[in-house]
Amino acid sequence: MRYWNPLRLRTLLAASVVFSACLLFHSSFANSELQAQTGREQSLADFAAAQPIDVHVHVFKTDPAFQALLERLHLTLMDILVMDDTLSYRKQLEPQISDALALVRSSHGHVALCTTFDPYKFNEPSFSVDAVRQIDRDFAQGAVAVKIWKNIGMEIKNSDGKFIMPDDPKFAPIYQDIARHGKTLMTHVAEPDVAWGPPDPSDPSWSYYEENPQWFLYNKPGFPSKGQILEARDHVLAENPDLRMVGVHLGSMEKNVDDIASRFDRYPNFAVDMAARMEYLMIAPSAKVRSFLIKYQDRVLYGTDLDLVATANVQETLEEWQSAYARDWKFLATAQTFDYAGRRVQGLDLPKPVLEKIFRTNALHWIPGI
Ligand SMILES: [Zn+2]
C-alpha cells in the first residue's frame, strides 16, 4: 500500500500554506485598495459639501475635464499670477493676464483672478505709476487680489545694488491703491527656513531646493536674512492698517505656529493661507496645531499651490488634485491616522464651524469678490 512520504507531505503542506497566504494577501491587498478608494471618495464628497474655496492655485490652461472637476467638487479657485524671470512664460505679464482672464470667463464663476505687477521694472522711473495703472485695469476686469513674490527680498536689486525689500517706499503707492480699491494683497515673501540652510533632506521642502538651487541661500553671502525679510513684511502691515494682507504659505512661518499667532495678535489686517505647507502642520504636535487653528479660526484660509501647466497630462494632474484635496480634508476634518510621505499623521478632527471658515467663509471675508 502507499504510505505518506513525510518529505512529500511537508512539501504539500508548505505549498498549500504559501498558496493560502497568497490568496489571503491578495484579497486583503484588494480590500485595502478598495478601502483607500472609498476613503478618498468619502473625503472628496465631504470636501465638496463644504463648497470649498482654494485660494492658491496656478492654472495655465482651460480644459473640459478640469471644469467638470470644479463643478463636481463645488470648488472655487483663485488663480494666482507670478512674475518669474527664470521661466519664459512667467517672465512677461502678457499673455499671462489675458490667458488667466480667459480662464476666469470660461469657468462659470469657479475661478477668480489674483493679478500681479512686474517688479523687474523696479528701477524704471515710472515703475510705481505704471504698476498702479496696470493693476487698476485688472481690477476693472475683475481681479480680486494682487500677489507679490519672493523675488522681492531674495532676487531683485535696486540701482545701488541692494536687494529690494517689501517695504520699499516705491511699493507704497501700490499698497495704498490696493487698499483703496478694497482688494487684497497676497504676499509670498521669504521661503521656508531650510532655504537658508544647511541642507536638510528631512524637511518637507527640501526637494524643491534640489530642483531650484537658485533659491537655496546656504553659504551664499550678501542675501538678506529671513528675519529681515519678514520684518519688512511686518512693516508693510503696520504702515497700511487698511490693507488686507494674506501671507501665503503660512506667511513663511511654517515651522512654528506661535510665530504666526504673534503676528495675528499684532496685526488685525493679517491672515495666512496654508498652500504647500500642510505637511509642516502634519508633522508638528497635533494638539498644538489644533488649538492654534481653533483660536485663530478667522485668520487661516485654505490653499494648496496645485497647478495645471500648459503641457500637463490633464487626467493625471486631476488625479493629483483629488488626492491632495482628499488628504487635506482627512487631516483637518477627521480623527483618522494615516501615512503620508513616510510619516504617521494624526487627523485634527476640527469642529465643523471651524472647517466652514477655513475651507470657505474666511476666503469670502479676506478676499471679497472671490
Ligand atoms: Zn504659489
Side-chain angles (χ1 to χ4, degrees), residues 56-58 80 82 90 147 149 188 248-249 275 305:
H56 193 141
V57 300
H58 304 283
I80 300 184
V82 172
R90 284 186 155 189
K147 162 95 163 227
W149 200 49
H188 173 178
V248 311
H249 306 311
D305 216 9

Side-chain angles (χ1 to χ4, degrees), residues 40-52:
R40 191 181 94 156
E41 287 314 309
Q42 186 57 54
S43 295
L44 286 175
D46 295 342
F47 173 75
Q51 296 189 282

Side-chain angles (χ1 to χ4, degrees), residues 150 154 190-200 203 205-206 208-209 212-220 226 254-255 280:
K150 61 190 176 188
M154 297 176 75
E191 280 281 81
D193 290 1
V194 68
W196 278 264
D200 179 6
D203 190 279
S205 299
W206 175 247
Y208 175 82
Y209 299 101
N212 300 275
Q214 74 272 27
W215 298 109
F216 187 58
L217 304 185
Y218 185 59
N219 276 340
K220 290 185 192 163
K226 179 167 178 175
E254 72 288 342
K255 275 281 174 74
Y280 290 93

